[in-house]
Amino acid sequence: MGTPVNIIVGSHVWVEDSELAWIDGQVSKITGQEAEIESSNGKKMVVKLAKIYPKDMEAPAAGVDDMTKLSYLHEPGVLQNLKTRYELNEIYTYTGNILIAINPFQRLPHLYDGHMMQQYKGAPFGELNPHVFAVADVAYRAMINEGKSNSILVSGESGAGKTETTKMLMRYLAFLGGRAATEGRTVEQQVLESNPVLEAFGNAKTVRNNNSSRFGKFVEIQFDKQGRISGAAIRTYLLERSRVCQVSDPERNYHCFYLLCAAPQEEIEKYKLANPKSFHYLNQSRCYELVGVSDAHDYLATRRAMDIVGISAKEQEAIFRVVAAILHLGNIEFSKGSEVDSSVPKDDKAKFHLKMTSELLMCDPDALEDALCKRVMITPEEVIKRSLDPQSAAISRDGLAKTVYSRLFDWLVDKINVSIGQDATSKSLIGVLDIYGFESFKTNSFEQFCINFTNEKLQQHFNQHVFKMEQEEYTKEQIDWSYIEFVDNQDVLDLIEKKPGGIVALLDEACMFPKSTHETFANKLYQTFKTHKRFIKPKLSRTDFTIAHYAGEVQYQSDQFLDKNKDYVVPEHQDLLGVSKCPFVAGLFPPLPEETAKSSKFSSIGSRFKLQLQSLMETLNSTEPHYVRCVKPNNFLKPAVFENVNIMQQLRCGGVLEAIRISCAGYPTRKPFFEFINRFGLLAPEVLEGNYDEKVACTKILEKKGLKGFQIGKTKVFLRAGQMAELDARRAEVLSTAAKTIQRRVRTHYARKRFIALRQATIVMQSICRGSLAGKVFHGMKRESAAVRIQKNLRKHQARTTYNKLHVSVLVVQTGLRAMAGRKQFRFKRQTKAATIVQAVWRCHKAAKYFKRLKRGSVVAQCRMRGKIARKELRKLKMAARETGALKEAKDALEKRVEELNWRLQLEKRLRTDLEEAKAQEITKLQNSLQEMQTKLDESNALIVKEREAAKKAIEEAPPVVQETQVMVEDTEKVESLTAEVDSLKASMESEKQRAEENERKYNEAQTSGEERRKKLEETEKKVSQLQENLTRLEEKLANLESENQVLRQQAVSMTPNKFLSGRSRSTIQRAAESGHIPGDAKTALEMHSPSINHRESELEDKPQKSLNEKQQENQELLIRCIAQHLGFAGNRPIAACIIYKCLLQWRSFEVERTSIFDRIIQTIGNAIETQDNNDILAYWLSNASTLLLLLQRTLKASGAAGMAPQRRRSSSATLFGRMTQSFRGAPQGVNISLINGGMSGGVDSLRQVEAKYPALLFKQQLTAYVEKIYGMIRDNLKKEISPLLGLCIQAPRTSRASLVKGSSRSVANTEAQRALIAHWQGIVKSLGNFLNTLKANHVPPFLVRKVFTQIFSFINVQLFNSLLLRRECCSFSNGEYVKAGLAELEHWCYKATDEYAGSAWDELKHIRQAIGFLVIHQKPKKTLDEISHDLCPVLSIQQLYRISTMYWDDKYGTHSVSSDVISNMRVLMTEDSNNAVSNSFLLDDDSSIPFSVDDISKSMEQIDISDIEPPPLIHENSGFSFLLPRAD
């Protein structure tokens, strides 16, 4: 411990701090028994030397795995070592053979896999890193080798991880001991399967933990002679029975009560249950539900667990019937009866609960009431039945509830043990004890008293074990330890359990007296223990008392001690439930022996608790103990948070500091000889120079320094407390002296070196200076001579210069005076001329201004006159247009002209047909004559050939002389005749050729003339079609004018006289009158405000208006039916959108004040996309909606009155320009007819702009909303499809990973492993490909496709990256390779999809790509923080890099994470940036917003030509939709 000798100025020490428990600093000054400390956080403090502990500056940076190796074994040293290891995720640390396990609040699967188990199997204790497997292995080896049972005691406060540690212990023991044969499940599995049942009936919410075990559990794992597991049993101890009836706020009762209240409705109705608030045993606390826990879900899980452990459905029904009966039992309230000191159920509600309790327990309700309200006293003479007062009856009720519940819990434990199976012949076992830890709250009652009593007992056992281990260590090293004192807590145990004067005995005594209260009990304690050093009476309370436990002082409130300790064993309860009709309830209360039944009714919970604890200690004493102390690092249950004060309290409660005290009582510092000499050999250099043995050398070093009380063992030096600090102080002095000597010599050397250099430099400087002075004297003489010569010449030059300046000045003055006179004269002449010009310009301006004013007046007068004349002409034209007779005459004239043109067309056709027939006949004749001539020529040639052959034969056959002459003559004649015939044939052939050429020329001329006639015919047909189109358009325009006329008439007729008085209404009527839509008599009547016109006009116009509305409704209905079908696409243009747009434009729906067509279109789209899962339908409507929105965006423009009230908008056309526009739109001559059909052929940009009214603008907004909605639905559907695959893609399949790690055997299985690894990623790629094909097939704009995939890849990035940071098993080297291969698949998909559709989607994966790139590099320790944060992972924050670096582990090559310096730098940066809430969050957020606007769509999409869109068959033949048919140019 700290002494004044140990501490010197400059020493690094630990000082106690209220916030951090301990803080390090350096001694700056020592004054007597006090020292001034400058702490690491900059504070200065003055502390007594006795309260200062030295700090080991040579401790390893990563801490030590066994704290007995610490040079200074004290509280701050232990705390700093645990903190250092916890920051590196080293959660296990030894203290001798005691294991300290700090809950990491995160999964660390690499610490518990099969490979790790194999490493610890048979390894010597302490050889490998600390681990819970090492403790289990030691226990197992000791059991096998020595044949003695062992136990492992797991302790810690709620939430410290006791249950998880117990699971790991049983897993490892099952790994060592093989598998049990029961149903193919291991014993470990069977024990763990029972956990939900035991937790439901034995766990409850406490102040610190939502799932605190309120009983002790001792799991006995039994082994046969071969060391294989042969059975197991669960022993439970010290169930907190009082919790059934009494619950403190904000705790809860046992879970099973709340689970049953959250059961399915049929169960609740069956047991007549309700909300937990309605039950007395549950509503004593205001906490009914747990955050994040579903009692209904846990109820079903508990029922499944009961099925697994072998509890039948009938038994389960009986169990929950008993639980429900306890709830109803607690609601039975009592009031005073008619007799003295009697009690009866308070009201009907109490009677109802009494009846329900009897029904659920299947007993007689009257007998139950008697058992609760009366007692039977047996005397030698008679049996007396005595009534109980309401308070005693309530105590009897609570006693029955506690008895029933405890027996139910015992039955469950027995049933689970039967299910697991015990080995009665087993001689060896390993027990794992999981029991509640030391508790100290603001309010501590009887439960905390019992729990802390248990922990005092276990601490005594722990102290004895630690002292025994110390003894074994000392004996092994053969040192004397006889004078070491043992730290014991027997005095506290005597205070609690000693008979007859202990607290438990006094409590039992007080409970047996009816008039005892908690005040009398407290006073009895004050009187009995007023001199006891462990018992303290608080100053501000009359009923509280304080006990100084080993872990600190705890103040108990005795208010409910008596009530909670009472546990009446009532024979009436036993008799009542022993004869229950329910076999299960009767089995819980077997008949007792007669002598037991007649014994005392009073039973103390404290006494029974003490007996159970004694049984537990006997079990533990019969085994070889091993200890695991679980620690909760923070109360927030968050990883990487280390609360010093909280952990110190747990180490104190867990007995770890007590073990350190025991070690400090002996020899806390133990150093092997080599380490001791290496560290302190410099204190005695002569020892190192001599050839001494290590043991002798250590002795000489210690003796030289005058230390007393140390021990030299066989391999180690044992130092008493404080001696290590004294040696370090001496060592620091020696090192300081040596450092000063070295500094003195080095400074001397440097000073002499500087002196010699300075002297040499001085000599050189002197010689240089003397030479410089001589040179200066010579230079001065030269300068003096030169100066005289310069002065002479300078004076001469100055005199000459002065004369020249004077001469020039005179000339300048003369010139200036003459110039000034000339300028003055010139200025006067210029001013005179300027005045003349100004006068002329001003007079001209006045004349011009008068002329312009006169001209403007003339023009205005002319314009007004011409306007008046034009208006008159306009009215005449409108009146003429309304004359149907003129239209009919025009129509008849056009029809006649069409008939005439048709007749001319038929005539041309007949002439053309006749001409072609004549040509064909003439050609046929020529061909026939040509064939005849050819035939004749062939015959002539054949005849010539025959004659020649005959001549040859005759020559051969005839005599040589006589006949030769004759033949020659004949031949000559024949040849001549044939030659003449050939010549004639040639002449005829030439003539035929000439005739053929003549005919061919005529044919070409005829063909040319026919072509000209055909062109004329086509032109005629075009003219006819144009005339037909004009006629059709005139008819349509006439119909529109008639409908507009009818609407205006009805509006004018339906107005009241008051409305006619307003200016806006008059302007509307005036516009209608000027347009010629109202007859003269109606106009006169309206001007006279005669109301009689309404009825007459309505009768005249009702029928035409009705037919018009019906026709319009039919057309709209047909359009809605048409677009509700899948119309497909024309090229890449959606037909439905184009049809809707053209119809709305034709019907002028954008320009009307009120219409229902927009709502019906929106409703049709909404109905179509109700099936959100069909991406094909959604993509189809996204394409149509976006195209229609584009057309509206480029066509509609908001009118000036669009934002005004409807009345204001209607009056906008009352102006001159408005009336002219209206009249031009209604002109029958077809002024803008081409804009409706032919004008669309130029694409979207050539579409005319339309001033949109309010309904059209609202329709555009609704359409925009639907585009965004459909886009979001498509995106979310894809997210839902790939989300399950993403969960599989972040972590490689275990089978595949194992096959990759096996080394030489992986070559065969590598291909299969790679296929298995990449399967999930290929599933994502397939989903993306199918989705892209769907969007392409429906011609969704590429801009929207890019946005969808950009957000989808961002979603993939967020999911994968967050999973990587939240799951440590994913943050490994092999998993990085797996994810990297998957990302390569996504990159390949992006390449195939091209930038047109994928866009920048690949860039959205930047976080996961950089994180994976960091995982798969091999040389992480060589990388600096700058390289990591700027080169490797520039996108990742420091928090993200720190988390990846600390969670990284390599299951493949064994590589390490970044260096500790980089980790430290990261911590510094995170501390500096800790105030930034955004930067502290290392997780990414998914962006589900709509990433585009209407303008973005309009800018990104190309022009759309809708002129040649063919209407669908449904409306193709309808005359009302003839405007949709494509028109010729």
Side-chain angles (χ1 to χ4, degrees), residues 1098-1115:
S1098 61
E1099 288 180 352
L1100 293 173
E1101 304 298 337
D1102 182 58
K1103 189 175 292 184
Q1105 180 66 27
K1106 185 176 180 181
S1107 62
L1108 175 66
N1109 290 337
E1110 288 178 354
K1111 182 178 181 182
Q1112 190 172 5
Q1113 290 294 330
E1114 288 176 1
N1115 291 340

Side-chain angles (χ1 to χ4, degrees), residues 1492-1503:
F1492 57 83
S1493 64
V1494 180
D1495 292 335
D1496 295 335
I1497 298 177
S1498 178
K1499 293 176 183 176
S1500 64
M1501 294 179 64
E1502 299 177 353
Q1503 295 184 3

Side-chain angles (χ1 to χ4, degrees), residues 973-1259:
E973 293 176 355
K974 289 181 179 179
V975 168
E976 289 177 354
S977 63
L978 289 174
T979 301
E981 189 174 356
V982 167
D983 291 338
S984 64
L985 287 174
K986 285 181 179 181
S988 63
M989 189 175 68
E990 287 294 333
S991 63
E992 290 297 331
K993 281 183 179 180
Q994 290 178 358
R995 289 177 60 190
E997 289 175 357
E998 184 87 11
N999 291 331
E1000 187 175 358
R1001 183 178 56 79
K1002 291 180 180 179
Y1003 173 73
N1004 291 333
E1005 291 176 356
Q1007 191 173 7
T1008 304
S1009 62
E1011 188 69 25
E1012 291 175 355
R1013 291 177 181 176
R1014 183 181 64 79
K1015 288 181 181 179
K1016 291 180 180 179
L1017 183 62
E1018 288 177 355
E1019 290 175 358
T1020 306
E1021 290 176 351
K1022 283 184 180 180
K1023 290 180 181 179
V1024 171
S1025 62
Q1026 287 177 357
L1027 289 172
Q1028 288 178 345
E1029 287 178 3
N1030 291 335
L1031 182 61
T1032 305
R1033 290 171 187 172
L1034 287 172
E1035 290 175 351
E1036 291 174 358
K1037 182 60 69 175
L1038 181 61
N1040 291 335
L1041 288 172
E1042 290 177 354
S1043 62
E1044 187 177 354
N1045 190 11
Q1046 301 297 336
V1047 171
L1048 289 173
R1049 285 185 182 180
Q1050 187 154 355
Q1051 287 179 353
V1053 171
S1054 62
M1055 288 183 181
T1056 62
N1058 292 332
K1059 291 184 180 179
F1060 281 107
L1061 298 177
S1062 64
R1064 287 191 293 269
S1065 299
R1066 283 197 301 271
S1067 65
T1068 306
I1069 298 168
Q1070 180 184 359
R1071 180 188 63 188
E1074 291 176 354
S1075 301
H1077 294 165
I1078 300 178
D1081 55 349
K1083 195 186 308 180
T1084 306
L1086 290 175
E1087 290 174 356
M1088 295 173 62
H1089 311 299
S1090 174
S1092 63
I1093 192 68
N1094 295 337
H1095 180 69
R1096 186 166 62 255
E1097 289 292 334
S1098 61
E1099 288 180 352
L1100 293 173
E1101 304 298 337
D1102 182 58
K1103 189 175 292 184
Q1105 180 66 27
K1106 185 176 180 181
S1107 62
L1108 175 66
N1109 290 337
E1110 288 178 354
K1111 182 178 181 182
Q1112 190 172 5
Q1113 290 294 330
E1114 288 176 1
N1115 291 340
Q1116 291 182 3
E1117 185 68 31
L1118 189 60
L1119 175 64
I1120 296 301
R1121 288 208 317 269
C1122 179
I1123 64 174
Q1125 302 174 1
H1126 193 294
L1127 301 182
F1129 300 87
N1132 61 349
R1133 299 163 298 175
I1135 295 176
C1138 299
I1139 295 299
I1140 293 172
Y1141 175 75
K1142 293 173 76 172
C1143 288
L1144 295 178
L1145 198 64
Q1146 171 68 22
W1147 296 338
R1148 296 191 175 180
S1149 300
F1150 301 128
E1151 305 170 50
V1152 298
E1153 296 287 353
R1154 185 177 301 171
T1155 180
S1156 63
I1157 183 62
F1158 296 138
D1159 294 336
R1160 300 191 65 184
I1161 293 173
I1162 291 296
Q1163 185 178 5
T1164 303
I1165 298 176
N1167 294 336
I1169 63 173
E1170 284 181 353
T1171 57
Q1172 300 184 4
D1173 297 334
N1174 194 331
N1175 289 328
D1176 193 40
I1177 293 177
L1178 293 176
Y1180 170 76
W1181 280 108
L1182 178 61
S1183 178
N1184 278 280
S1186 59
T1187 303
L1188 182 56
L1189 182 61
L1190 171 68
L1191 294 170
L1192 297 182
Q1193 177 72 6
R1194 297 183 179 179
T1195 302
L1196 301 185
K1197 64 176 180 179
S1199 61
M1204 302 179 186
Q1207 293 83 357
R1208 182 72 177 272
R1209 288 197 299 271
R1210 282 196 294 269
S1211 65
S1212 63
S1213 60
T1215 62
L1216 174 64
F1217 177 76
R1219 289 196 302 271
M1220 291 178 66
T1221 306
Q1222 291 290 337
S1223 63
F1224 282 134
R1225 285 181 182 175
Q1229 286 82 358
V1231 177
N1232 283 325
I1233 286 176
S1234 60
L1235 291 174
I1236 297 175
N1237 291 300
M1240 294 182 185
S1241 60
V1244 174
D1245 290 343
S1246 63
L1247 295 174
R1248 65 185 175 94
Q1249 293 286 310
V1250 176
E1251 286 191 4
K1253 299 297 182 181
Y1254 176 74
L1257 297 177
L1258 179 61
F1259 173 63

Side-chain angles (χ1 to χ4, degrees), residues 142-143 146-153 218 220 235 237 427-431 461 464 468 613-627:
M143 181 196 69
E146 301 174 11
K148 184 179 180 182
S149 297
N150 283 251
S151 61
I152 303 174
L153 282 71
F218 189 72
E220 295 179 357
R235 315 290 181 204
Y237 298 92
K427 298 295 182 67
S428 302
L429 63 87
I430 294 179
H461 184 268
Q464 292 171 353
K468 181 181 176 183
L613 184 57
Q614 184 178 352
S615 172
L616 173 62
M617 298 310 300
E618 289 174 357
T619 303
L620 294 179
N621 289 329
S622 64
T623 62
E624 184 68 23
H626 305 271
Y627 289 91

Side-chain angles (χ1 to χ4, degrees), residues 312-439:
S312 64
K314 188 176 180 181
E315 290 172 333
Q316 294 180 33
E317 192 270 339
I319 290 170
F320 285 104
R321 197 167 61 245
V322 170
V323 174
I326 293 174
L327 290 177
H328 286 290
L329 183 63
N331 279 14
I332 302 175
E333 299 180 1
F334 301 96
S335 61
K336 291 184 179 180
S338 58
E339 301 177 4
V340 179
D341 290 337
S342 65
S343 59
V344 294
K346 185 176 181 180
D347 48 21
D348 293 339
K349 179 181 177 182
K351 292 178 181 178
F352 167 76
H353 288 293
L354 177 68
K355 180 182 177 183
M356 283 306 305
T357 305
S358 63
E359 290 179 0
L360 292 171
L361 296 177
M362 294 188 181
C363 60
D364 184 38
D366 296 332
L368 176 60
E369 182 179 350
D370 290 343
L372 295 177
C373 300
K374 297 180 181 179
R375 287 289 177 270
V376 176
M377 300 179 63
I378 302 175
T379 63
E381 294 82 11
E382 59 180 342
V383 177
I384 301 173
K385 184 173 289 190
R386 180 176 62 87
S387 298
L388 300 177
D389 57 14
Q391 183 178 1
S392 300
I395 294 174
S396 174
R397 174 201 68 195
D398 294 342
L400 176 60
K402 289 186 283 190
T403 302
V404 170
Y405 192 82
S406 63
R407 296 199 180 189
L408 173 63
F409 186 78
D410 293 339
W411 183 91
L412 284 170
V413 174
D414 294 339
K415 185 69 176 180
I416 290 171
N417 286 333
V418 172
S419 173
I420 295 174
Q422 303 182 54
D423 183 8
T425 62
S426 174
K427 298 295 182 67
S428 302
L429 63 87
I430 294 179
V432 181
L433 177 65
D434 179 4
I435 198 167
Y436 30 59
F438 191 90
E439 291 185 353

Side-chain angles (χ1 to χ4, degrees), residues 17-220:
D17 184 75
S18 58
E19 296 180 359
L20 301 175
W22 296 93
I23 188 171
D24 60 331
Q26 191 171 6
V27 178
S28 59
K29 184 179 179 182
I30 296 178
T31 307
Q33 295 298 316
E34 293 183 344
E36 183 178 322
I37 311 294
E38 185 174 350
S39 63
S40 57
N41 58 7
K43 295 181 180 179
K44 287 188 177 182
M45 57 189 77
V46 178
V47 188
K48 292 183 179 180
L49 287 173
K51 295 184 177 180
I52 296 175
Y53 293 90
K55 180 180 180 181
D56 186 11
M57 298 304 295
E58 297 185 9
V64 296
D65 55 1
D66 189 346
M67 288 193 289
T68 59
K69 298 178 183 178
L70 290 172
S71 298
Y72 301 109
L73 187 60
H74 45 52
E75 288 186 10
V78 169
L79 184 66
Q80 178 63 21
N81 188 66
L82 291 176
K83 183 177 182 180
T84 301
R85 291 177 60 79
Y86 182 72
E87 288 174 348
L88 298 175
N89 273 340
E90 297 288 347
I91 62 174
Y92 294 117
T93 307
Y94 292 136
T95 301
N97 61 353
I98 303 166
L99 180 68
I100 299 176
I102 304 180
N103 193 341
F105 293 119
Q106 59 181 336
R107 295 290 178 185
L108 303 175
H110 68 286
L111 289 179
Y112 309 106
D113 56 12
H115 176 72
M116 194 66 71
M117 291 184 183
Q118 194 66 39
Q119 291 291 320
Y120 280 91
K121 184 177 181 180
F125 186 81
E127 182 177 297
L128 301 176
N129 287 337
H131 204 290
V132 69
F133 291 163
V135 177
D137 192 79
V138 168
Y140 182 79
R141 300 300 165 194
M143 181 196 69
I144 295 297
N145 298 332
E146 301 174 11
K148 184 179 180 182
S149 297
N150 283 251
S151 61
I152 303 174
L153 282 71
V154 182
S155 63
E157 73 171 38
S158 300
K162 300 190 298 295
T163 303
E164 285 297 320
T165 302
T166 304
K167 292 178 183 178
M168 296 305 166
L169 287 168
M170 288 190 290
R171 272 190 61 199
Y172 186 76
L173 293 174
F175 170 74
L176 294 176
R179 296 182 175 272
T182 307
E183 299 180 7
R185 304 193 309 276
T186 64
V187 170
E188 168 224 0
Q189 288 174 330
Q190 296 177 69
V191 173
L192 295 181
E193 284 165 356
S194 66
N195 274 346
V197 180
L198 293 179
E199 288 180 359
F201 289 86
N203 287 25
K205 179 194 182 302
T206 62
V207 176
R208 293 185 181 175
N209 187 10
N210 290 343
N211 191 30
S212 176
S213 300
R214 308 317 296 165
F215 66 99
K217 181 171 66 175
F218 189 72
V219 181
E220 295 179 357

